[in-house]
Each structure stands twice: as C-alpha cells, then as structure tokens.
Amino acid sequence: MPELPFLPVTELSQRIAAREVSPVELVTALLERIDAFDPLLKSYITVCHESVLDEAKQAEADISAGNYLGPLHGIPVSHKDISWTQGVRTTAHSKTLLDFVPQADATHVRRLAERGMILLGKTNTTEFACGDMAEFGFTPNPWDFTRFSGASSGGSASAIVAGLAVATTGSDTGGSIRAPASLCGLVGVKPTFGRVSRYGVIPLSWTMDHAGPMTRTVADSALMLQAMSGFDPLDPSSAQQEVPDFTAGLNPDLHGKVLGIPENHFYEKLEPDVDQAVQAALQQLEQLGARLEPVTLPTAGDLEVVGSVLVMAEAFSQHAGRLRGHAQDYGPKARRRISTGAFYTAAEYQQALQLRTLWINELDAVLQKVDALITPTLPFTAFSIDTQASGPPDTSWGTRHFNLSGHPALTLPCGFDSQGLPIGLQIAAKAFDEATMFQVAHAYEQSTPWHQRIPTLPEGSHA
Amino acid sequence: MHDLDWLSDEAMRQGLELSKEDLDDILRELMRTKQSLQHQRPQHSDGLEPPYRFGPPVTKPLKEG
C-alpha cells in the first residue's frame, strides 16, 4: 500500500469518510514531504503550514460530528499561484504581485472550499503563465531532476507526482495543464470553455484561458471538475449549462464508442517511444470495445501562429497598464512575449479569429461523426532544463487546438519511454461532453498500470 | 514589414519602455508570425465571423496589486 500522499483522492475520501484516516494525518504527511523535498523541487510558492492544519482539524471535527460534506471533505488542495485565494498571497510568479493578497477567492477555489477541500498551498508557475521562473526558482521534473516539469502549471504537476499534494488546480491557455500533466505522468483536464468560471484567475488570454483539475486518476479529476463547474455571473464567459454527474458514467465498457484518430499533424514527428506507446493505447481502446475511425483535420498543422497572435494580443491588452509603468519589473521572457501583442494590427487579429473559426467548423464537423478524438498529448517526453532555458520545443503542439476551439480535452498517462519518462495520451470530446471524455479515459486507465507508478526522488533532493 | 526603428518609435508612442534586446527579440517574433499569417489568408471571408461564444474581458470588482 503506497503512503497516504500517493493515494488517489477517491481512496483517501473513502478512508476519511470511514474515519480510518484523519485529514490531520493526511495534511501532516504532506507537510513533512513538502518540508523535506520542496526546497529543491520548488513546486510551491506559498505553503499554508499553519492554516491548513487548523482547517484539517476543523474538517476532522465536522466529519466526526456527522457534518460530512461529501467526497472532497477534508482533502487538501493546492492551487496554481495564479488563482485568487482570499487572505493568501497570489503572485503569478511576478515581481509586480509579490505583495498581492486577494480579498476574495477565485470562483473555482471557493467552490472546492465549499465542498470541504482545504487549502494546502499555492503552486509554482511561470511568470504570468508565459514567462520564466526567476523569482521563486525553477520546478524540475520529479521523474528526472535534470528535466523540466512543463509549463505553466508545472508546480501543480510536480507537487502531485512527488507526493507533495494529492490534488491541484491549474490553468490552460495553450496546454498549460495538459503539457505538465503529460510530462509528469498525471491526469490534467481542460474543460469546455465556459464550464469553469475564470473569475479570480489572473488572465493571460480571455478567449483561451481555462481552469481545470490535475490529479493522479481520471475519477479524481471527474470529482473535482464536478465541484468546480457551473454558471457564474461574475464571469461573462461562463456558460449556463447543466452540469451532469461526471462520475456516473465511469465504466470499463467502450462498446458503441467511435474514436476519431486524426490522420494528419497529431501523429506526425513523434519520438519513437511516444509513437509506440500511443499505438499500444489505441489497440487497448479497441480491446475495450471502441471502434477507431480515421479522420482528417486539414488545418490542424497551421494553428501555431493563430494561437500566438490571439494569446499575445489579448495578453497585452490585459497587461498594458502594468507594463507601461513597470516593464522592467517583468522578467525578459514575459515582458517580450506580452509586448509582442502591442504590434499586431486589428486586421491581423481578425485574420487569426477567422482562421480560428475555420478550425472550429472543421473540428465540429468531425466530432459529429465520432464520440471523441484520441491523440498524443505531446510528441516528446520531458526535455532538459537547459533546453527549456535556451529554446524549448513547442509544448502546445497538440493541445492549443482545443483552447482555440473551446472543446474539452484531457491527458492521462499511456506509458513510459526508455528513460523512464511518462508519455501522455490526449482525449478530446464534443463541447460540454466531458462525461464521454472521462468515460473513455477511465476505461483506458483502469485497464493499464501507468497511473500507479511513483517516481523515486533522487538522493539529496530532500533538505 | 516592420524594422527596428519603426518598432522603437511605436513602442515609445505606446509608452512601453523596452530595451534594444527586447525590441530585437520582439521583431524576430513579429517577422515570423506576420509572415506566417500572410501565407494563411483565408480564400474568402464569408461566414468566418469570430466565434461570439467567447466572451468579453472579465470585469473584476477587486483590483490586483
């Protein structure tokens, strides 16, 4: 039996409800690991050492008194340090926000707290989710400390895989939840645009930002997304859509499901180990009863520039005021990337929107014929920290497509390469059909061992 | 296509304090993306309206920083 910090939320939840494990015991185990390993892992910007223990004691008392709030009650959660947390500083890893203490929670933070989750800490991210990690340090990948954990929700990913968190949230503008989840061997979910409120999530791109959960298992993510979802009048892009029970359909039978396999872009230029793992995953999905259907998405390979123009033009419009007064307080990477958005013309921004519409129409047409799309999340596994510093590969290569379209997509582990690094499989579905996405993912996950692997942290990585 | 002088003047006009290194880097990215856009012009624009379901900027009652 793995130690408590390595158990899925669903299992911890059952044991807490049965009073076999106390939230205090769980939080204490996590804090001990954070104190031991985080000085080198740097997955946290802020750890709520005292308040989380108080909250755990309160949860324990409430549960003992019969006031059980449900399966998330007493479960610690760590939020990416880009989501507002009332009374706890929220820096976005920026020098310009070092002293920013929000007066309110982000809506998704509040909703998880209302279900009984307790705040463990704020996880590391790149500056404003698009720059460097200079102020608080760089988060290495727990599978290999010489490699990158991914961006921009890398702290949220590395904390879970190293056993310093059991559930986290992240934000995803071009793949910032799914890429680190893939590189670290976790489940990471970008919900449908509008499903989860972005109120209180420091924006990068208003039309591409999404907030979502990161966990060890698909069921854990379904449980968390359930709590995070729903209409929010504080977010004008929030959707008035019913939130179904995402956990109700989690079963191993994929008979009747048709899964689209793109013939272009997504399966091109894969590292051989990634190719092999993904092909094996497709065979496994067939064995579970799914029918695989080749599909073509002609513009899938042309979206890098579309995403860049939209994100940076929108990021500049968000940051313009702060940049004008404090440009030199931004790190070079964030300052340069965001400032690029100042120099696109309205015609270029509109052209990018037109190309986005073409892509959405193309994807919607394909998703009328299949239940979900299956792709590799990334064509490679975790790369070195040096590569990240000198010029990383395109980590939105297979993910930005669903930020542009708004469709839901998740990643889950589908194997390891010859160096022991995780490989991710991406599943995307129709708008607001996260239930199908979760079902396909859960069926695959439960028939494979990949989600059960735990890294051995290198000697000397603890304080 | 823009050059460094234009970019420097435009940055100043917009009130952005950017160094020569910043401008060099930005110019490289603009050249790349703008050239790429030139090669991706849609053949027609009928029916290519922006997706209206993407909402306007979030209005926050509280200020950051």
Side-chain angles (χ1 to χ4, degrees):
Chain A
M1 172 73 73
E3 296 173 59
L4 291 180
F6 293 96
L7 291 178
V9 170
T10 47
E11 192 167 334
L12 289 166
S13 168
Q14 286 171 7
R15 294 175 70 178
I16 286 173
R19 295 170 64 186
E20 294 166 10
V21 168
S22 84
V24 175
E25 192 182 346
L26 174 57
V27 162
T28 302
L30 287 165
L31 288 174
E32 282 173 7
R33 288 190 64 83
I34 290 170
D35 290 343
F37 295 107
D38 212 49
L40 277 177
L41 194 57
K42 300 186 195 310
S43 59
Y44 282 90
I45 287 177
T46 300
V47 180
C48 304
H49 275 99
E50 291 178 12
S51 61
V52 70
L53 273 169
D54 291 342
E55 285 188 50
K57 285 174 192 164
Q58 186 63 50
E60 191 172 320
D62 289 343
I63 293 166
S64 298
N67 300 319
Y68 183 56
L69 295 175
L72 296 177
H73 198 172
I75 302 289
V77 62
S78 303
H79 297 291
K80 183 176 180 177
D81 202 29
I82 205 164
S83 295
W84 291 1
T85 41
Q86 185 176 12
V88 177
R89 74 170 177 169
T90 299
T91 69
H93 202 133
S94 167
K95 207 171 168 181
T96 65
L97 291 178
L98 288 181
D99 301 319
F100 172 51
V101 179
Q103 298 171 46
D105 281 334
T107 297
H108 71 271
V109 169
R110 175 177 57 78
R111 285 182 168 157
L112 291 170
E114 286 170 354
R115 302 292 181 102
M117 292 196 100
I118 54 185
L119 178 61
L120 177 57
K122 305 297 294 290
T123 55
N124 204 350
T125 173
T126 50
E127 183 180 5
F128 288 117
C130 70
D132 285 318
M133 296 177 116
E135 203 63 33
F136 297 100
F138 201 87
T139 305
N141 193 309
W143 293 96
D144 179 344
F145 270 45
T146 69
R147 293 172 190 270
F148 188 41
S149 60
S152 60
S153 309
S156 288
S158 63
I160 296 180
V161 78
L164 315 188
V166 293
T168 61
T169 62
S171 65
D172 189 316
T173 303
S176 288
I177 287 174
R178 289 161 289 159
S182 175
L183 296 174
C184 290
L186 295 173
V187 177
V189 179
K190 183 206 81 68
T192 310
F193 188 85
R195 177 68 95 187
V196 173
S197 170
R198 287 103 46 85
Y199 176 77
V201 180
I202 295 173
L204 180 62
S205 159
W206 292 301
T207 69
M208 304 267 278
D209 290 347
H210 302 66
M214 300 170 80
T215 59
R216 287 189 185 283
T217 68
V218 175
D220 286 1
S221 273
L223 200 58
M224 280 184 73
L225 188 65
Q226 189 81 44
M228 296 167 75
S229 297
F231 176 67
D232 178 14
L234 294 173
D235 177 356
S237 62
S238 181
Q240 302 219 36
Q241 286 278 334
E242 188 187 341
V243 182
D245 184 348
F246 294 134
T247 59
L250 299 182
N251 67 69
D253 185 6
L254 295 184
H255 284 92
K257 290 278 182 277
V258 182
L259 305 178
I261 313 301
E263 289 183 310
N264 60 306
H265 180 69
F266 292 96
Y267 287 80
E268 293 166 3
K269 300 175 185 171
L270 305 184
E271 284 181 358
D273 287 349
V274 175
D275 190 24
Q276 199 175 347
V278 173
Q279 293 303 329
L282 296 182
Q283 286 178 13
Q284 183 65 18
L285 288 164
E286 273 188 309
Q287 284 184 12
L288 292 167
R291 181 164 67 80
L292 306 186
E293 180 76 30
V295 297
T296 306
L297 293 158
T299 68
D302 302 331
L303 298 174
E304 189 274 332
V305 71
V306 178
S308 286
V309 171
L310 294 178
V311 170
M312 290 312 149
E314 293 177 15
F316 177 72
S317 67
Q318 157 68 17
H319 282 265
R322 191 181 284 126
L323 263 175
R324 286 193 178 106
H326 305 280
Q328 297 311 314
D329 287 339
Y330 283 64
K333 187 173 179 182
R335 181 173 66 245
R336 292 169 190 173
R337 289 189 75 195
I338 295 171
S339 296
T340 303
F343 306 103
Y344 290 118
T345 65
E348 286 163 339
Y349 182 78
Q350 287 298 322
Q351 185 189 335
L353 284 177
Q354 289 178 324
L355 292 168
R356 175 187 217 168
T357 299
L358 274 174
W359 163 245
I360 293 172
N361 294 344
E362 192 174 297
L363 185 57
D364 274 337
V366 164
L367 282 168
Q368 282 180 5
K369 299 176 197 160
V370 301
D371 295 296
L373 290 177
I374 310 292
T375 76
T377 307
L378 291 168
F380 42 77
T381 54
F383 46 87
S384 73
I385 288 171
D386 291 343
T387 301
Q388 172 61 17
S390 61
D394 180 7
T395 51
S396 300
W397 170 91
T399 51
R400 65 168 60 84
H401 303 75
F402 307 107
N403 298 79
L404 285 164
S405 71
H407 294 80
L410 64 70
T411 182
L412 79 165
C414 70
F416 286 77
D417 72 5
S418 55
Q419 298 176 87
L421 299 167
I423 297 166
L425 186 74
Q426 181 171 241
I427 302 174
K430 296 177 176 72
F432 297 104
D433 190 16
E434 285 90 350
T436 295
M437 176 182 80
F438 281 132
Q439 194 216 334
V440 174
H442 176 77
Y444 172 78
E445 174 194 73
Q446 292 303 304
S447 68
T448 57
W450 312 120
H451 63 290
Q452 294 168 343
R453 280 205 199 175
I454 294 170
T456 304
L457 300 188
E459 285 296 321
S461 62
H462 53 85
Chain B
M1 191 56 74
H2 308 307
D3 60 22
L4 207 55
D5 289 339
W6 179 88
L7 199 63
S8 179
D9 290 347
E10 180 61 12
M12 203 175 297
R13 190 187 70 78
Q14 294 203 35
L16 296 171
E17 191 186 328
L18 298 171
S19 67
K20 167 84 167 49
E21 290 75 21
D22 291 340
L23 292 169
D24 282 341
D25 203 64
I26 290 168
L27 185 62
R28 256 194 309 278
E29 177 64 4
L30 287 173
M31 298 281 277
R32 186 186 74 80
T33 50
K34 285 173 181 261
Q35 278 174 6
S36 179
L37 273 181
Q38 278 178 13
H39 292 109
Q40 291 188 57
R41 287 186 179 133
Q43 290 178 337
H44 61 83
S45 53
D46 295 343
L48 291 184
E49 297 172 30
Y52 293 117
R53 68 177 181 230
F54 295 103
V58 177
T59 305
K60 298 189 187 75
L62 298 172
K63 291 190 77 169
E64 291 159 9

